[in-house]
Amino acid sequence: MSDIITLDALRRSFDDTESVTVLPPLHPGEVLREEFMVPLGLTAGAVAKALNLPRSRIERIVKEEIGISTDTALRLGRYFRTSHLFWLNLQTRFESETLLSEIGAELEGIQPVPEAA
């Protein structure tokens, strides 16, 4: 037997959906909390003060009660030296995945516009 993996076999392994664990959508507040605030020892109050925002906004984001607005994304990007799009993309992906699970069946019923001949 050969230990060589063919390109086709490798492609099939990626298409095997039974072996894929689907995780729930990742809220941007979890990323803010676990990847930025906890490692840096920051509190919601400290982040809010640095961003000139109400402490309750940061608290609600990290509790995953609200999302990240463009205003907050711009401020987080500046403060943590990331792109504001990093934060907005996290928010957009979370909202899209959440909504897709709610209205996916309805979307299947929408007939796409016919392709041009």
Side-chain angles (χ1 to χ4, degrees):
M1 289 294 299
S2 172
D3 288 336
I4 297 173
I5 298 175
T6 66
L7 187 55
D8 286 336
L10 185 61
R11 284 187 180 130
R12 282 192 304 274
S13 72
F14 284 108
D15 292 337
D16 181 14
T17 56
E18 290 179 16
S19 66
V20 174
T21 302
V22 178
L23 299 173
L26 180 66
H27 192 282
E30 181 180 350
V31 175
L32 175 59
R33 182 182 66 244
E34 299 299 327
E35 302 297 329
F36 290 87
M37 293 174 62
V38 169
L40 296 172
L42 297 170
T43 64
V47 173
K49 185 174 181 179
L51 273 50
N52 196 28
L53 292 174
R55 185 193 61 197
S56 60
R57 183 182 309 181
I58 302 302
E59 288 173 341
R60 294 183 68 205
I61 290 170
V62 298
K63 288 180 183 176
E64 304 176 28
E65 295 174 351
I66 63 170
I68 293 178
S69 66
T70 303
D71 176 85
T72 303
L74 287 163
R75 294 167 190 263
L76 288 168
R78 172 74 176 170
Y79 185 60
F80 289 115
R81 296 183 178 143
T82 65
S83 165
H84 69 286
L85 295 175
F86 169 76
W87 299 102
L88 289 176
N89 287 336
L90 285 172
Q91 184 64 43
T92 300
R93 183 154 187 186
F94 174 77
E95 290 175 4
S96 297
E97 290 179 13
T98 301
L99 191 56
L100 185 58
S101 69
E102 292 176 22
I103 67 166
E106 185 178 343
L107 292 176
E108 290 294 324
I110 297 173
Q111 294 299 315
V113 87
E115 291 186 30

